[in-house]
Amino acid sequence: MTGAGTVVIAGGGIGGLAAAAALAHSGLAVTVVERASRIEDVGAGLMLYQNGIAAADAISGRLGQGIRAAGHVVGPDDVRVLMDSAGQVLAREPIGEVGRRLGLPQVPILRTALQNVLFEEAVAAGAEIRLGTAVRGYDQDGAGVTVSLSDGSALDAGVLVAADGLNSVVRAALLGDGPPRYLGYTSVRGRVVDSDLHPMSFVVNGLGVQIFVAPADGRTLYWTAKITAPRGAWPAMGQAAALSALADRLADWHEPVVRMIRDTSVTDVLVTDIHDRDPVARWVDGRVALLGDAAHPMAPAMGQGANTALEDAVVLARALRSAADPVEALLRYQSQRVERAAAIVLHSRRQGAVDQGASREEAESRDSVMRSRGRKDEATFDVVDWRPDGGGHAAADAGDEIVSRPPADARDIALVHGAARGEVRP
């Protein structure tokens, strides 16, 4: 594969496949290089918010409809129950209200289901997917970029897009900014089929633990438990021991929640320590660009990792369509994405720390805030109100409870605005 109109994408996860579909629909010749030998079924789910659905619809109407069909479309009157570990209701968050205002739904979905829909869309658009191979590095000159692969071969292209995740090989070569930052908590995730809790959506708060639960399709609930813990402690347990330890940790919690955890199959459990990185201003090196977690890994507290990767894919495709020079196009993509991504990374970091309730005082404060505000997160509307053309839905009235601007300390402000000016460094 050679020529200015060719793109190699490192990584076949959500961001890489979304970029492949968007770029192939733009008429570019796309090859995705993915280290895994197959796309495996995993138990974890995720939430596609209105911004992610808007991005998917922009890639293709078929993709947007496929996502809706594969996931659970949140209705306009749906609520998320927020409760404490004893099952006492703190608030009923009107999650369907945001969709009614913005004209787009939330869609919780299994990660595998989303990847399958994206894979099918990328292939239908003409992208080539190469499994069982990893990108090892790159060299470039004025004419193009040569991508070296783990099997000893190389690909020549006009552009390399790095969507190779939190520990991106391409990012390491581009920025050399070292390992990601551990945020002080781990994530144990799973799913249950035909639970008597389906199709409830709820959040349960405990001391140093928060559990998020949502329906992922017509029969499945997915759950995520975030647990304050030393780095590496829970991943070292393995699936079975981690699931057992979590059930023991929750033994005196609200019984239906404990039963849901105990009903989870060990094979559907994933255990991952949570990391992010400080925002950086530089995502581009000539004909090479970062995307998704390779560019802006973030805490899962606001559920924006997949959504912002989908946004990246749309903006990147539009930039490459609108500029004859790929270097100029990538810089345009960078300029349109850095500040927004930086703000969401920092929102997510702050919200994740609040969610954990690591001390009794912090847990009581978290629960009190949920009770008084009637929602889980500090910011909702401002984050999900995004459209591919750079606009958004007309803002709600300033006094409306759905509009929330999270507090920012001086360092946060410096990071966000410094990134936009090119002042933030790895």
Side-chain angles (χ1 to χ4, degrees), residues 147-354:
V147 184
S148 57
L149 306 180
S150 58
D151 62 6
S153 65
L155 294 172
D156 294 321
V159 168
L160 168 63
V161 177
D164 50 345
L166 176 68
N167 294 300
S168 166
V169 170
V170 178
R171 181 187 177 112
L174 197 157
L175 294 176
D177 57 344
R181 160 182 173 156
Y182 179 56
L183 294 176
Y185 54 97
T186 198
S187 171
V188 181
R189 309 184 296 284
R191 65 184 178 190
V192 289
V193 178
D194 295 334
S195 166
D196 55 7
L197 296 175
H198 188 281
M200 287 182 61
S201 179
F202 56 96
V203 173
V204 193
N205 289 340
L207 180 60
V209 182
Q210 185 182 76
I211 299 180
F212 180 97
V213 184
D217 57 33
R219 298 178 57 197
T220 308
L221 283 177
Y222 81 86
W223 56 265
T224 300
K226 297 181 296 180
I227 308 156
T228 301
R231 183 200 308 265
W234 283 75
M237 295 181 190
Q239 292 171 291
L243 182 62
S244 177
L246 177 62
D248 291 345
R249 175 83 173 259
L250 307 181
D252 60 350
W253 281 36
H254 188 45
E255 192 275 334
V257 176
V258 180
R259 187 171 68 251
M260 177 191 69
I261 300 298
R262 294 195 184 278
D263 286 346
T264 299
S265 171
V266 168
T267 58
D268 290 331
V269 172
L270 294 175
V271 188
T272 310
D273 279 350
I274 301 302
H275 300 79
D276 73 1
R277 293 181 184 270
D278 283 342
V280 294
R282 187 183 178 211
W283 293 10
V284 169
D285 173 24
R287 293 171 175 266
V288 181
L290 307 178
L291 182 145
D293 283 350
H296 48 75
M298 61 186 68
M302 298 185 70
Q304 281 296 314
N307 294 277
T308 50
L310 287 162
E311 291 180 14
D312 290 347
V314 171
V315 174
L316 176 63
R318 291 193 172 189
L320 285 168
R321 280 201 306 269
S322 62
D325 178 7
V327 175
E328 176 189 338
L330 296 185
L331 290 174
R332 182 178 301 175
Y333 155 73
Q334 174 181 271
S335 70
Q336 292 175 355
R337 294 299 299 156
V338 162
E339 185 171 5
R340 174 171 166 80
I344 295 173
V345 167
L346 297 174
H347 279 327
S348 299
R349 179 185 294 174
R350 181 169 47 245
Q351 184 65 51
V354 170

Side-chain angles (χ1 to χ4, degrees), residues 49 80 82 93 210 212 226 300-303 351-352 355 369-370 373-380 404 406:
Y49 287 92
R80 177 182 295 132
L82 311 178
E93 182 179 6
Q210 185 182 76
F212 180 97
K226 297 181 296 180
M302 298 185 70
Q351 184 65 51
D355 285 348
V369 167
M370 284 192 183
R373 294 184 178 177
R375 61 182 180 272
K376 173 188 177 295
D377 298 329
E378 291 179 338
T380 298
S404 173

